[in-house]
Amino acid sequence: MQRTLGTCYYPEHWPSEIWADDARRMVDAGLTWVRIGEFAWSRIEPQSGKLNWEWLDQAIDVLGQAGLQVVLGTPTATPPKWVLDKHPDMLAVDANGNPRKFGSRRHYCFSNAGYLDECRRIVTLLAERYGQNPFVAAWQTDNEYGCHDTVISYSNAARDAFRHWLRTEFHKPGGNAGDIDALNSAWGNVFWSMEYSDFDDIDLPNLTVTEPNPSHALAFRRFSSDQVVAFNRVQSDILRAHSTAPIAHNYMGRITEFDHYKVGADLDIASWDSYPLGFLEDRVGASPEHQRAYARQGDPDFQAFHHDLYRAVGRDRWWVMEQQPGPVNWAPYNPIPLPGMVRLWTWEAFAHGAEAVCYFRWRQSPFAQEQLHTGMLRPDSVDAPAIVEARQVSAELAAAPDVQPYRAPVALIFDYDADWAWAVQPHGQDLSYFGLIFDTYRALRRAGLSVDILPPDSDTFDDYSMILAPGMMHMSDTQKKALANSSAQVVIGPRSGARDSNMVIPTPMPPALPDLDVTVARVESLRPDMPIPLNGGGAVTGYFEEVEGTATATLQTEAGHAVLMNNDNVYYLAAWLDDPGMDRMVGLICQAAGVRTMSLPEGIRIRDTATERFWFNHSTIPIKTEVGELRPADVVRVSKE
Amino acid sequence: MQRTLGTCYYPEHWPSEIWADDARRMVDAGLTWVRIGEFAWSRIEPQSGKLNWEWLDQAIDVLGQAGLQVVLGTPTATPPKWVLDKHPDMLAVDANGNPRKFGSRRHYCFSNAGYLDECRRIVTLLAERYGQNPFVAAWQTDNEYGCHDTVISYSNAARDAFRHWLRTEFHKPGGNAGDIDALNSAWGNVFWSMEYSDFDDIDLPNLTVTEPNPSHALAFRRFSSDQVVAFNRVQSDILRAHSTAPIAHNYMGRITEFDHYKVGADLDIASWDSYPLGFLEDRVGASPEHQRAYARQGDPDFQAFHHDLYRAVGRDRWWVMEQQPGPVNWAPYNPIPLPGMVRLWTWEAFAHGAEAVCYFRWRQSPFAQEQLHTGMLRPDSVDAPAIVEARQVSAELAAAPDVQPYRAPVALIFDYDADWAWAVQPHGQDLSYFGLIFDTYRALRRAGLSVDILPPDSDTFDDYSMILAPGMMHMSDTQKKALANSSAQVVIGPRSGARDSNMVIPTPMPPALPDLDVTVARVESLRPDMPIPLNGGGAVTGYFEEVEGTATATLQTEAGHAVLMNNDNVYYLAAWLDDPGMDRMVGLICQAAGVRTMSLPEGIRIRDTATERFWFNHSTIPIKTEVGELRPADVVRVSKE
Amino acid sequence: MQRTLGTCYYPEHWPSEIWADDARRMVDAGLTWVRIGEFAWSRIEPQSGKLNWEWLDQAIDVLGQAGLQVVLGTPTATPPKWVLDKHPDMLAVDANGNPRKFGSRRHYCFSNAGYLDECRRIVTLLAERYGQNPFVAAWQTDNEYGCHDTVISYSNAARDAFRHWLRTEFHKPGGNAGDIDALNSAWGNVFWSMEYSDFDDIDLPNLTVTEPNPSHALAFRRFSSDQVVAFNRVQSDILRAHSTAPIAHNYMGRITEFDHYKVGADLDIASWDSYPLGFLEDRVGASPEHQRAYARQGDPDFQAFHHDLYRAVGRDRWWVMEQQPGPVNWAPYNPIPLPGMVRLWTWEAFAHGAEAVCYFRWRQSPFAQEQLHTGMLRPDSVDAPAIVEARQVSAELAAAPDVQPYRAPVALIFDYDADWAWAVQPHGQDLSYFGLIFDTYRALRRAGLSVDILPPDSDTFDDYSMILAPGMMHMSDTQKKALANSSAQVVIGPRSGARDSNMVIPTPMPPALPDLDVTVARVESLRPDMPIPLNGGGAVTGYFEEVEGTATATLQTEAGHAVLMNNDNVYYLAAWLDDPGMDRMVGLICQAAGVRTMSLPEGIRIRDTATERFWFNHSTIPIKTEVGELRPADVVRVSKE
Ligand SMILES: [Zn+2]
Ligand SMILES: [Zn+2]
Ligand SMILES: [Zn+2]
């Protein structure tokens, strides 16, 4: 596989006179890809039905003639004002019942049929015009589904579609109508007299007096995710009918409100938008001390996690579609990256298997919302620092060996449905599925391990020495069996299998794993200031389960409660562990699995490919390692020979 | 008086086949009472007018035949969806103007006439059917009035009813119409040109540009409370017409938005729902350190305070209708109680005079909102730890002497109207009447005192050695005289008598107590970080009054300002004191009253009955006392002989 | 200039029988002015068109006959209920779309034409009746424009007026219609397809999915300010047509949502309402430690800053219209001032050039919203402490020399438009223009300097030795030239000139100052915990700019980045400095300017007039200075002879 670089470009923002020079400078910097078009609807179709393709024809031609390959975006994330005038009901509605207005982007409800018609129309026109264009080498659907909290809408359109969705979920055998009694029973609506006599009785679960039924809330989360999948599929079907170029979507970091695997199943490439400094400030969820220590470098695991996640979403084909090139404009604080970090982030993506890394954006915009988002060029077209580091990567890539597919020794299951279940019912303030998974992932990384992320419906595990499946609130019997029958060391829990498919506690009590005699008798959530110490170091933090059963207690609290129980290679973890506890658990399972671990210094991370081991220094100080001293932002590649 | 145990049961949630076995296990555990029915409207009346009594007949029969006494709840806290369809305007409206939707519970506005009609109808049907049933031994109206912030509604129905209520409050002598000039004058509406020309001019006091007139806001609070009283009276009148069984309501902890004494006056028994761990996390208002120290035990005074309060509300007949049996589901953090605490909480209620303690709930529900609320049984019907502790209490009760009525040496007045006045005008951020009363109560408890709580209209004080009436913003002349004429040591203030009945500063200036020359010249609120030290220890915190007058200054600040002034047995306290300051004040008054005090160790509390003294250890460590070492969660009963 | 005292009085709140005695007591206390009428609309016109002047005639007569001069307020801040009934659409609408209701004050939208008509009518009637009254010696328009967040309204009236305003801003040359293409281009609406085809497409910038275009948001801020200016001008034009008495408005502290200079241009006197303790608690923005240290004294620079600001707004004629006399009612905490502070605050105003200081209010109101706001008298008419300190000032004034106009050595430009630009685009959380200006002002004051504040359109700087213009996001070429051509030491930046007039980054890149080769290549915002140390002491905090160019780097970071660059007397400051950094910068510029500095002890501040130097001790402890030991709250005047 060839590794390539690219950038995001907005020809509509600049006089056509400078396009050719921009293209030349891109090629000179070693870029292969240029993504365009995804916000240009008002220039393509300034009025309803009045198409204006000439500028876009020309832009693609100029870029293509210069030797660049174009990624063409569908413009559906930014419908022009006239689209809203045609469909005044297309706006998403927030949890307070307020429609979210025109004037920025993503101002649409996924359930609005009128807007979906407009999307179908414009994407068809775009695909017809450029589906066979030799310079259009890939497509992008829409832009950052879910960004700005846009998956969930409490509109009337969403309400009606949700009712329809529920009828289908609870269909009567042999008929089309839904079975409302089945829903009432599955959700336990007898509780608090919430029983419905018809699907049209069911409202969206906002503005209730106290929390809604978690079954109701989870169903609405699943429905909302399915609306995104359906919306995207309309576009991917059209594009595929007109073009053989691969289709991507650019996902955004820590957006979990829809199932990326399901969207990804309709696409050829997964890509994501990687903003290490912005994310550390606004969504990693680290302590202020950690945020301070990595303020100019970004969290050392957050990007790696997403790289591994999107490798799974893209079934091994994945890109970074937008790479932070300098300070951004949207985080609470927006510092300048440490010199070298743009190069480090790029190489890190390649180490995790990326095909391409595209810098966002080519030239800093002097106007509108992102005018303080830096680019590869300054607003006055002078080189910004990012282009210098990109040129260095480009030169290094030319001298680097080709990448070979690589399978990591450890697999971690990431399940969007579980994230929604935790969000609906966290039990303890601030507990989240993403947090649990990321804490687990960080422990694996501290141990020097490369990790593969797996979707929840995986059933072939034989390539892995270790599989971790924490927090998967609902597990099918098939999943349980596949894991239990695996030859790997398998760690399940906490909260895994805790609910049936409708968010109800099953009987027999969880986790009900084959051949493992463990029962969760009671659960508790803990204040952050009341960790429960483990016998031998580390502690339970935040969440604890009282378990019973005859399985071996491999880890215990000081008071003697079992925390990790196993029967041979199948383990149940009955708690959320702090970092030292996680390290102990990982060490213990690795030992059983015969996987060698290291204890990496703070800020140092490694990642293996089939032929090389990459070493990265995410810290601001030089650090001695077994491959020598790494300067801040250093990237060291060591051949595995 | 016989002390009894019980539980809360939802036969409609379980197959009828297991009811008999459940009943048998209840009786085996020593339970007397079983509360049912309060959320079952959708099963009693699945469609408007289509009644389905058979299952409830059977459930009552099965439980009664097993030897249990049934508490039957009216189902009006959970109107089914069809009730809302009939009365779409029945929803309460929040302060932002949003109706609160169907999908949980308590989704009604107390002022909606249509919903009140439905309640009247269903309660009449219930009373007619079961009023003479031999197994129905008590009634409960609705469920937890005010829980989930449901007393105050900004609906149109509330607005119209408020206008009517105001006409009545400001009625013209000799006529039915209200006197708007009297209202304008009483409220001082000339201020900021807020004068009304008609009662129909008056809106609800939400969404104003800056704060509304406190007289307006307080009137709305009083109206809102009266609506609860009227709503409940409709039910109690119906039940009483059909049954001789006593009627209760189950109040919720620290819900002060309506006057419990007034609701209680229409009932036979006061009961409350006691969730010590949940309350400590979400409403006690303690420091994080205190919350940590008592995370598995609950605050050592919060339950005791409510026990004493509901003894007053119930005129000596009171229950715990719902007792926490293990982790709950609704607090920010939901830990498992320390072993023994369920027993301690039960005995503590009895020590304060409870007739019955019922555990909520019998079996943990696997579905809906409370699926993480533990019960006496697990969802799979296995015994949970609570039933084990309940059995122990049951055995101990059998061996314990009967309870005799007991009068405490100290009385503390609790006035709901004062709580609303403070809420309307706290003066300092976070100052609240409840907080002041509870700080005072804690000081009395630290001194080893048992306390009676009195309603504000009490007029016979001769049984008490000490009476405290802090923070009673409005005091009638009758109240002032009754207190001043008492032979007890009487402590009034701070803020007592500070406003007239319409929330206006009276002249002569407060407190204007007979025979006590003290005038509050100026008041201030203080940042928490600026305590004012008292001469000799302790400090003023949060709130201070500059007082003038010839009364004796018994406590002073280091700078010489009087803090506690008295003439013989009548004291005016001119400040909110910190804990050491409160201890000094209590010690000083007790000495004058000839009441013996102790200085109890942290976590140890005592409570007297007529014949015994109870000692409780609320801490997690063993503590030595004059009755020996108390283990964590220990309960020691010492005969007074 | 004669310095005078006054008070704010509400005759409509009190029986007319006591007016004469109140007036006599005012005169006895040494007061000259009495402000009345500004909230009395419901008494002047209890029903639409039914005027009731008699009481006001009498009140003015009684006060005037006693020797007082009346400031008569227009009552438009408190329209009676019947005005709202006539114009139900007159309420301002908040950012969530909720109209803000009747029941307090300032319940109007500046854009509502119907309400403006009512204002025009009532002000005309008032001016006609009292324009020639010998006792009416000054006027006040409305009351505290902008208080309670009332400048910005998202009403339909505001939306329509905003569209009209934009048409005017983007008018087509030679025509009346707006040029929507010019707006699209100026705002960069091509970004995210936000282009409009008509001005009626443009909505208000609330409730957008993510942030609106900053050009859009800034335009709405400017429009909102202009609406206040226009509203006020209607009143000042009417008053001026009927009276020769000077016209004032009473501005409120740290209200920056409208341009006070523009309102002030239509008035004769600027006045402001000074509440030092309330402000320290709710708007200064200091650390808790600082708030604690000055809880009873107020911030030592906040009042001084506003005095200097309103001297500029009033073109040297300015008053304190409302002076805090004791605890107020509206801050989070409301302590009693340190004895002597009312006197200190009064003298401080005079030291900064005030013509008059009026205490708010004469007698504490026993009713309505401000019943806990103290006055010069208690509610029962007994003297409160403020009147005692006022009498002392009055006596001291009689013995003091007359004031001479004074020009300070240092000028600081304050630009409301820049404040809006920063609010629209702070870049870092909590960064604000006001904060930057106030940090700069505090540093000048710590150095013992008296400061003149200048409006942004100043063009004659020759009287000053030093001029500072930080943070002025947009600077016209004229402004740049005027500053660069000044003979003073001129400090520009950070962020000065960073945007064009439509909030777009200009080319050539900022600051583009004549004869100063400095270019801001990149900007970053910093977490508060990551200061960048300066070489030699102090640090950059919050905001930093990477600059390039050949100008001299006078201050640098430890890492060698230029922070202060200059060419001769023109400096560009490329960062927000912490206090030690600000002190170094001020010291360095003062040295170049030949201005002598001091290093004042914590809590000590000085202010020069033409003939005297005033020393103030804002701390709670005695402090030794070159003019002797100052007691807490001390005021020392030293003749400059
Ligand atoms: Zn439509
Ligand atoms: Zn109705
Ligand atoms: Zn109107």
Side-chain angles (χ1 to χ4, degrees), chain B residues 379-529:
Chain B
D380 61 355
S381 296
V382 172
D383 280 1
I387 200 169
V388 180
E389 298 198 19
R391 283 195 199 106
Q392 181 181 352
V393 175
S394 175
E396 291 166 343
L397 276 177
D402 258 16
V403 185
Q404 308 303 327
Y406 173 70
R407 172 119 322 181
V410 182
L412 176 64
I413 296 179
F414 187 81
D415 176 12
Y416 287 91
D417 192 78
D419 192 73
W420 311 330
W422 280 69
V424 160
Q425 188 182 71
H427 197 39
Q429 185 175 281
D430 298 330
L431 298 183
S432 77
Y433 174 74
F434 186 95
L436 176 66
I437 291 291
F438 190 54
D439 276 4
T440 308
Y441 181 81
R442 293 191 307 113
L444 296 169
R445 296 258 297 171
R446 282 192 301 269
L449 300 169
S450 292
V451 180
D452 282 349
I453 289 182
L454 300 182
D457 55 357
S458 306
D459 53 6
T460 52
F461 299 116
D462 293 344
D463 294 328
Y464 296 102
S465 304
M466 278 169 62
I467 305 159
L468 295 96
M472 247 175 106
M473 290 276 278
H474 173 59
M475 297 178 74
S476 68
D477 288 344
T478 314
Q479 288 166 325
K480 289 181 182 178
K481 265 183 215 141
L483 283 166
N485 292 340
S486 154
S487 60
Q489 303 294 312
V490 174
V491 185
I492 290 167
R495 272 197 128 177
S496 300
R499 296 293 178 274
D500 75 7
S501 61
N502 283 300
M503 195 70 191
V504 168
I505 300 175
T507 304
M509 298 271 283
L513 291 167
D515 304 323
L516 183 70
D517 182 15
V518 171
T519 298
V520 176
R522 252 196 323 187
V523 308
E524 67 172 348
S525 52
L526 301 166
R527 299 171 51 82
D529 55 10

Side-chain angles (χ1 to χ4, degrees), chain A residues 42-43 101 296 336 371, chain C residues 195 206-207 499 524-525:
Chain A
S42 74
R43 285 295 165 98
K101 290 163 68 171
R296 296 192 182 283
I336 292 172
Q371 58 188 238
Chain C
E195 291 170 301
N206 61 323
L207 290 171
R499 296 292 178 273
E524 67 172 346
S525 52

Side-chain angles (χ1 to χ4, degrees), chain C residues 234-246:
Chain C
V234 165
Q235 300 202 10
S236 61
D237 283 353
I238 294 168
L239 294 173
R240 214 174 289 292
H242 294 82
S243 169
T244 57

Side-chain angles (χ1 to χ4, degrees), chain A residues 554-597:
Chain A
T554 305
L555 279 178
Q556 294 180 305
T557 66
E558 287 186 353
H561 286 106
V563 166
L564 184 66
M565 296 185 81
N566 73 300
N567 182 12
D568 194 20
N569 66 319
V570 181
Y571 296 74
Y572 185 78
L573 177 61
W576 190 315
L577 300 178
D578 67 359
D579 283 359
M582 285 280 192
D583 289 342
R584 284 187 65 202
M585 186 270 289
V586 165
L588 202 146
I589 306 293
C590 283
Q591 193 168 29
V595 173
R596 186 199 155 218
T597 60

